[in-house]
Amino acid sequence: MSGKMNLKQLAEHLQLSPTTVSRALNGYPEVKEATRLRVEAAARAVGYSPNAWAKGLATGRAMAIGHVMPVSKSHEMVNPVFGDFITGASEAYLRAGYDMQLTLVDDEDEAMRYRNLRRRGLVDGIIVHAPLPADERIALLREIGLPFVVHGRASELPDDYAWIDMNNRRAFERATEHLLALGHRRIALVNGPERQDFALRRREGVLTALAAQGIEADPALLSSGEMTERLGYTATREMRALPDPPTAIVAASMVVALGIWRALRDEGVTLGREVSVVAHDDDLGYLRNGGDVPVFTATRASVRDAGRRAAEMVLEMIRDPSCAPLQTLIEAELILGQSTGRAPS
Amino acid sequence: MSGKMNLKQLAEHLQLSPTTVSRALNGYPEVKEATRLRVEAAARAVGYSPNAWAKGLATGRAMAIGHVMPVSKSHEMVNPVFGDFITGASEAYLRAGYDMQLTLVDDEDEAMRYRNLRRRGLVDGIIVHAPLPADERIALLREIGLPFVVHGRASELPDDYAWIDMNNRRAFERATEHLLALGHRRIALVNGPERQDFALRRREGVLTALAAQGIEADPALLSSGEMTERLGYTATREMRALPDPPTAIVAASMVVALGIWRALRDEGVTLGREVSVVAHDDDLGYLRNGGDVPVFTATRASVRDAGRRAAEMVLEMIRDPSCAPLQTLIEAELILGQSTGRAPS
DNA sequence: TTGAAAGCGATACCAC
DNA sequence: GTGGTATCGCTTTCAA
């Protein structure tokens, strides 16, 4: 019933040629409607599904998209948004009949892996995650000739490839503007790892907002690192020890914000009074599920949406390889909460 | 150089037969060492890698493991541990030359997807994520005859399949014991979704510890749902409104704990004095990166490790299909922090 | 509208 | 040790 049954056997069973059965199953127009129905019914009945390897070999198409995620040998965190992103992507793949292949690569042998992916023919397209400002993979993939979409951007490279990205720069600019409007002048940033492109853009956004008010950024108020609670904690303690500590802090993620809160609590400082905190949330969907949290600038749902759109973009590029590079910029929501207050006078 | 080049062409180039080249590249013993070296050098030089489809068709092996993750149509969260788990798994696959195929399925058409995976021959084995207490997939996969390892367990089913799991029951039992030892008697649990097996086990752990002290659980102190900040917040507010509110709370995750903290803060309650909080952390690795946080019972690193071991288990099962079901139980660490204190007298 | 047969690119059996 | 060749299961001309 559901055992092994191949096209040839199915064809014999139906008293038809493999050719016709294949055509019927793949929606070719030249097959008679009655025949098609008969074939489809039989296929369903015996639980036939084509052997993917034979199909791939014959067609040259993989019907699969590769997601490639760099993971340092060192214990770097896997960004929690990753799960949401691929959830969205898989929705699109499901609809289109594509599979998703996941490859985690060490930074070192990345190039080789891509070439392999291509030559082995396992994927028809690729989504590149976590790009660096001058990411080499972009040139590499173009050379290889595999359609690809970058989740994020490589700011130092010419903007002529396909990408989908949150407007990190603008989101952090707005968050900072918000704090400035509340009268804050000593505004700190606890940022993600600044070798990553997204973190650089976030930093730019903060600096832009400050500059617009004629404030020059104090390097002592700019911190960055892996987005952990520890980062938030230590950065805050250090900044609080400054002669002129910050009155407001922009946090790169809720996890970081948690560390900040702990640090402030340990110093007996009241959140929203002596110090205001604004956090970007792309990691845990507090907002969508939650209530009156601090300031947030992206929602979990939008990450999933980004994944879906990224997937649709690659599929489109596969369909029409000659099309101009698709680019999608997603604006973050800005939502205010209770942990921000006016600057103390 | 890196263009298309197949075995036959490589063989011609080398003045050898495809057979020999294939053998040389696949480490067959009967090929002369000198020949092997020559072939390998040439393969590297021209950038040859075998076509995966042809290979799969010829060998019948997919050299890929499928990870199947159920995702409800509704906006259920993707558990953040997922990213760490597959990171670990991919390390093992990389070493063994396997690929990872990711399939996210709606609850409904799961069965079909598994059958498809099998028939299309895309994977040699499967890792099942997020099992339910009486998960049907286990019977299904066994019937299909595909080697599989469950990440988690299905408590209501006979324990005769391969799994890897954290000892959730014991972890929560110990956390509760800790609170009991501090003199707490009104102990609340804010749990994950209890249709999931892991959440059920956690609940059992808490109840066991309470029962051991002759305390019967108050249903009003047992809350469960999606592990969001909102859950922690609302559950805490509701419990605090009880005539006899809890003096200690066990939280299913750090995210939930965050909501609890917010709720307590909003009520002007001091953490660790009036109310103690103990949180399970399998999501964000505070511990590994962090400092004196509350009580934690699992670390991020251990999730990654679990992924690696799960992968090794499937590979082992593929190697030796007749072996007894492998089962791995991982004990969680228990680490105490500053947000727990003696029960107020 | 249907069928016969030639690939697709590897592996593996059987000779030599 | 090495080489010829059938084989895996499907798609896709080309004929009928």
Side-chain angles (χ1 to χ4, degrees), chain B residues 284-302:
Chain B
L284 291 165
Y286 296 92
L287 219 225
R288 194 172 53 76
N289 305 288
D292 53 350
V293 275
V295 172
F296 291 91
T297 45
T299 66
R300 181 184 192 85
S302 69

Side-chain angles (χ1 to χ4, degrees), chain A residues 28-325:
Chain A
Y28 281 62
E30 62 260 43
V31 56
K32 187 164 52 175
E33 196 54 25
T35 312
R36 180 194 312 289
L37 291 174
R38 198 160 68 90
V39 171
E40 281 171 348
R44 219 179 352 255
V46 303
Y48 167 80
S49 45
N51 178 302
W53 304 98
K55 195 162 186 160
L57 183 55
T59 60
R61 269 168 298 130
M63 296 306 283
I65 304 295
H67 282 239
V68 186
M69 181 89 185
V71 181
S72 310
K73 274 268 170 49
S74 58
H75 301 283
E76 196 178 336
M77 303 176 50
V78 177
N79 196 324
V81 305
F82 184 64
D84 282 311
F85 189 89
I86 59 175
T87 303
S90 81
E91 287 171 18
Y93 297 146
L94 187 61
R95 260 199 304 277
Y98 275 71
D99 290 313
M100 181 158 87
Q101 214 221 286
L102 193 50
T103 312
L104 306 211
V105 291
D106 296 334
D107 312 342
E108 22 182 296
D109 53 21
E110 268 208 55
M112 225 188 53
R113 299 279 290 180
Y114 286 102
R115 287 217 152 80
N116 259 344
L117 234 43
R118 168 55 164 180
R119 279 196 300 255
R120 296 195 308 156
L122 278 177
V123 299
D124 297 325
I126 282 189
I127 307 257
V128 174
H129 292 272
L132 305 179
D135 208 296
E136 306 153 355
R137 297 179 288 176
I138 289 166
L140 177 63
L141 282 166
R142 186 177 291 133
E143 178 204 327
I144 291 178
L146 208 49
F148 68 97
V149 170
V150 182
H151 176 205
R153 274 175 283 181
S155 305
E156 292 177 15
L157 265 37
D159 185 28
D160 55 358
Y161 52 93
W163 52 258
I164 183 164
D165 200 6
M166 301 274 172
N167 197 342
N168 281 300
R169 196 176 181 293
R170 182 67 190 128
F172 277 67
E173 187 181 349
R174 284 166 70 194
T176 308
E177 285 168 356
H178 172 66
L179 293 172
L180 286 164
L182 287 169
H184 294 278
R185 288 299 173 268
R186 295 286 291 166
I187 299 177
L189 169 66
V190 183
N191 201 7
E194 290 183 351
R195 61 200 160 65
Q196 300 258 54
D197 196 77
F198 79 92
L200 269 188
R201 287 183 174 269
R202 291 174 172 190
R203 177 194 166 111
E204 273 175 28
V206 171
L207 296 187
T208 303
L210 292 177
Q213 297 295 316
I215 301 173
E216 87 180 290
D218 179 350
L221 297 187
L222 297 175
S223 164
S224 88
E226 291 250 326
M227 297 190 286
T228 63
E229 191 204 16
R230 156 163 246 160
L231 173 68
Y233 190 86
T234 54
T236 304
R237 295 302 292 248
E238 281 167 18
M239 289 174 183
R240 289 282 305 170
L242 293 174
D244 191 8
T247 64
I249 306 179
V250 179
S253 83
M254 275 308 300
V255 181
V256 169
L258 182 53
I260 294 174
W261 291 349
R262 271 213 311 119
L264 295 176
R265 185 200 61 193
D266 286 1
E267 300 201 348
V269 167
T270 310
L271 209 59
R273 301 258 330 260
E274 287 113 301
V275 177
S276 294
V277 174
V278 161
H280 179 83
D281 173 32
D282 56 7
D283 42 17
L284 291 165
Y286 296 91
L287 219 223
R288 194 173 53 76
N289 305 289
D292 53 350
V293 275
V295 172
F296 291 91
T297 45
T299 67
R300 182 183 190 85
S302 69
V303 173
R304 190 182 285 210
D305 189 52
R308 209 181 48 244
R309 286 159 79 175
E312 284 161 0
M313 285 165 68
V314 219
L315 295 178
E316 174 59 29
M317 292 174 67
I318 290 170
R319 221 171 292 128
D320 174 16
S322 63
C323 70

Side-chain angles (χ1 to χ4, degrees), chain B residues 6-7 19 22 26 28 48 51:
Chain B
N6 62 25
L7 188 66
T19 311
S22 171
N26 289 301
Y28 281 62
Y48 168 80
N51 178 302

Side-chain angles (χ1 to χ4, degrees), chain B residues 22-92:
Chain B
S22 171
R23 281 198 275 241
L25 258 24
N26 289 301
Y28 281 62
E30 63 259 46
V31 57
K32 186 164 52 175
E33 196 54 23
T35 312
R36 181 193 310 290
L37 291 174
R38 198 159 69 90
V39 171
E40 281 171 349
R44 219 179 350 254
V46 303
Y48 168 80
S49 46
N51 178 302
W53 303 100
K55 194 162 186 160
L57 183 55
T59 60
R61 270 168 297 131
M63 295 304 283
I65 305 295
H67 283 239
V68 186
M69 181 89 186
V71 181
S72 310
K73 273 266 172 46
S74 58
H75 303 282
E76 197 179 335
M77 301 176 52
V78 176
N79 196 325
V81 306
F82 183 64
D84 283 310
F85 189 90
I86 58 175
T87 302
S90 80
E91 286 171 18

